Amino acid sequence: MPNTFDLIIPGLLGPVPQPPEPPRTPTLDLLLDRARKDADSAWADLPSVLLARFGAEAAAPYALAADAPDWDRRGWWLHADPVHLRPDRDLLRLFDARHLGISRAEADGLVAALNAHFADDGLEWHAPAADRWYLRCTAPPVIATTPLAQVTGQHIDPYLPRGADASRWGALMSEAQMLLFQHPVSQAREAAGRPAVNGLWCWGGGTWQRPATPPDLSIGPGPLLHGLAAATELPCHAHPGGNAAELLAGASDGGRMLVLWDALDEALADRDLDAWAAAARDLEQWLAPVPGLLRNASVAELRIFPCDGTCHALRGQDLRWYRRRPPWLFGHRRPTLTQRAAVA
């Protein structure tokens, strides 16, 4: 079995309103209650957590490598994700492509227009997936960006790029925004009552390099995880299987295993409380053997990353009876997962 088990669960701690039928999660309640909680801005969202766990710096080259396996791994690339920008009073609120339903033909038409317009600016767009676009920059801009995961549903102003080239970059993206808004694809979508593809969110720029600290085995979905794993030539499986004990027993001794469980985050994106509760129940069932594996030292350490800027880490000794905090001691009562995830 692996020595360390990294469990990445975006959406675990909500925020969510009270579900109609709150899930019973005694295993998760126990693990979160006994864990040592640390905070770090490097754990603020899923891409940042994955990059930190692999020892990599830029998301775009690895996601591109998974979306376009024949790509030559050269150049400086950004995510340039298509988004819908909705006016909200004097600000713009961003909505990502998950619910835009961008077709292959729409993506091809918009990307072709961008490439024709910005050919002299050293910018080259590619869309290997209709809803995931990438931008190659001949001269890498000096900007600091914010991952799309932190901006979705938010006003964009606090998250706009910063740095020496921020002003020029903002002007280029405003030009691109106007082009997208006026393009026949966006006009046709609006005429059909669908949200226009009227903006781009650029983030995660850099070059492809071999990750410095990869796990020995990775499990989970998504192009970024699969691209990072491919860069290390280490195995990556799409599904964690029936339960954690079976997965951990099949792993090599020592080392580190990473599992990404994204069903709760998908439910949050859909604003589906029933789906969030169902995903929590599935995760609870899958995790049920883990406390026993920690107690008998089959797994030395579990680290849970909810992708909210925190890490919850615990070892077998944290689950010993003498560390138990009874309800009457200092008024402590173990919070449930639903209580932890509740909207403040």
Side-chain angles (χ1 to χ4, degrees):
M1 288 194 178
N3 191 48
T4 304
F5 181 19
D6 287 345
L7 183 56
I8 303 174
I9 319 172
L12 175 67
L13 299 181
V16 294
Q18 179 83 1
E21 295 185 18
R24 288 191 68 257
T25 54
T27 300
L28 279 162
D29 299 344
L30 171 66
L31 295 174
L32 291 170
D33 186 58
R34 300 291 184 84
R36 306 176 307 280
K37 180 179 175 181
D38 296 314
D40 193 312
S41 60
W43 306 326
D45 54 79
L46 174 58
S48 298
V49 171
L50 287 175
L51 291 172
R53 303 321 300 152
F54 274 82
E57 295 184 0
Y62 302 102
L64 175 59
D67 278 336
D70 295 333
W71 170 54
D72 63 9
R73 311 310 193 253
R74 296 180 180 176
W76 195 95
W77 292 82
L78 278 160
H79 288 278
D81 289 312
V83 299
H84 175 67
L85 298 173
R86 181 179 300 171
D88 185 4
R89 298 184 181 180
D90 296 331
L91 300 169
L92 290 174
R93 192 179 295 274
L94 181 148
F95 298 89
D96 66 20
R98 269 187 278 198
H99 300 112
L100 295 183
I102 302 171
S103 71
R104 181 72 263 174
E106 288 175 330
D108 289 343
L110 293 169
V111 166
L114 287 166
N115 282 330
H117 185 84
F118 290 99
D120 294 336
D121 294 292
L123 304 177
E124 182 182 355
W125 274 265
H126 289 264
D131 57 353
R132 289 191 298 275
W133 303 358
Y134 302 89
L135 174 58
R136 182 172 184 167
C137 303
T138 303
V142 182
I143 53 174
T145 60
T146 302
L148 177 64
Q150 290 190 38
V151 189
T152 298
Q154 307 295 322
H155 292 139
I156 65 173
D157 281 13
Y159 304 100
L160 292 172
R162 308 167 303 282
D165 291 335
S167 178
R168 175 179 177 272
W169 190 257
L172 288 170
M173 290 304 102
S174 293
E175 197 173 335
Q177 182 179 324
M178 185 61 66
L179 184 152
L180 292 171
F181 175 74
Q182 295 175 342
H183 194 278
V185 165
S186 289
Q187 297 299 307
R189 288 176 64 96
E190 287 200 322
R194 302 169 66 204
V197 181
N198 60 0
L200 299 168
W201 192 256
C202 296
W203 63 280
T207 59
W208 188 95
Q209 299 180 30
R210 187 178 180 87
T213 58
D216 299 280
L217 176 64
S218 303
I219 299 96
L224 178 54
L225 175 58
H226 285 254
L228 285 164
T232 66
E233 300 179 355
L234 292 171
C236 182
H237 306 302
H239 195 274
N243 64 60
E246 294 174 2
L247 178 66
L248 292 164
S252 57
D253 291 339
R256 178 163 58 97
M257 175 186 288
L258 181 151
V259 172
L260 167 59
W261 190 288
D262 71 342
L264 289 100
D265 191 49
E266 292 295 322
L268 286 185
D270 292 336
R271 300 184 179 181
D272 189 334
L273 291 180
D274 290 333
W276 185 90
R281 293 186 191 99
D282 290 343
L283 176 60
E284 169 71 21
Q285 182 178 2
W286 188 81
L287 277 175
V290 169
L293 297 174
L294 287 165
R295 288 189 181 100
N296 65 25
S298 296
V299 175
E301 185 177 34
L302 169 68
R303 295 183 291 212
I304 299 173
F305 296 89
C307 302
D308 65 347
T310 65
C311 171
H312 304 254
L314 70 164
R315 295 174 173 267
Q317 64 193 33
D318 298 314
L319 297 172
R320 303 300 183 196
W321 67 269
Y322 53 80
R323 290 181 179 263
R324 181 184 176 199
R325 291 170 287 190
W328 49 265
L329 183 62
F330 308 120
H332 176 77
R333 193 175 198 82
R334 182 180 297 161
T336 66
L337 174 65
T338 303
Q339 290 170 334
R340 291 178 183 273
V343 174

